[in-house]
Amino acid sequence: MMVATENHFQTVIALIQDFRKKMFWIIAILFIGTIFGYYKANIVMDYLFKQVGIVIFISPAEGFITKLKVSLIIGVIISIPFILFILARFLKKRFSAISSKDILLLSFSSYILFVIGAGFAIFLIMPIC
């Protein structure tokens, strides 16, 4: 009975180590997307500020923090397809019923639905408010 518990323990440790590697890649991809988003944040902020009207920053750091927040959101939008693909590949290892075709379909359709929802919020809902 002790041998089965050791094998189960090693399987859980291997799962955790594999998940840790995947999380490292997800964070790295998110960081790269955020760096790219930092350079494009001024364009997005100009568009958003035109929609809102007058924007007042109370403290000097508030403008910089706002730019960082916008760049993080851009980074998330850019990196979501890669993150979904990495997570789907991780799940494929654990469940043999998932094929590579299903992983690509799931990643692509999830990203398309995310972009449609974000576009709906930005271009249709935000001008109304």
Side-chain angles (χ1 to χ4, degrees):
M1 202 179 275
M2 186 67 170
V3 175
T5 306
E6 271 185 35
N7 287 338
H8 181 68
F9 182 71
Q10 289 179 356
T11 305
V12 171
I13 294 295
L15 175 71
I16 291 171
Q17 288 175 346
D18 189 31
F19 186 70
R20 185 179 64 191
K21 289 177 187 175
K22 301 295 183 196
M23 287 305 295
F24 171 76
W25 281 109
I26 288 172
I27 291 170
I29 289 170
L30 184 61
F31 184 71
I32 292 169
T34 303
I35 289 173
F36 177 77
Y38 185 78
Y39 292 108
K40 300 298 181 183
N42 288 334
I43 298 168
V44 175
M45 287 173 61
D46 287 341
Y47 175 76
L48 293 174
F49 292 164
K50 285 179 186 174
Q51 296 294 322
V52 174
I54 298 174
V55 178
I56 300 172
F57 295 121
I58 297 173
S59 68
E62 195 172 356
F64 178 69
I65 298 294
T66 302
K67 186 173 181 179
L68 285 180
K69 288 178 184 179
V70 168
S71 64
L72 180 64
I73 292 170
I74 294 171
V76 167
I77 291 171
I78 290 171
S79 62
I80 275 187
F82 303 108
I83 292 171
L84 290 173
F85 184 73
I86 289 171
L87 290 177
R89 267 191 19 211
F90 178 75
L91 290 176
K92 182 185 178 216
K93 282 185 179 179
R94 305 298 167 232
F95 303 109
S96 59
I98 301 175
S99 69
S100 297
K101 182 180 173 184
D102 293 337
I103 288 175
L104 288 174
L105 183 64
L106 175 69
S107 299
F108 183 72
S109 62
S110 298
Y111 183 67
I112 293 299
L113 290 172
F114 176 78
V115 168
I116 289 171
F120 178 77
I122 291 172
F123 296 115
L124 292 178
I125 301 299
M126 203 167 110
I128 294 172
C129 296

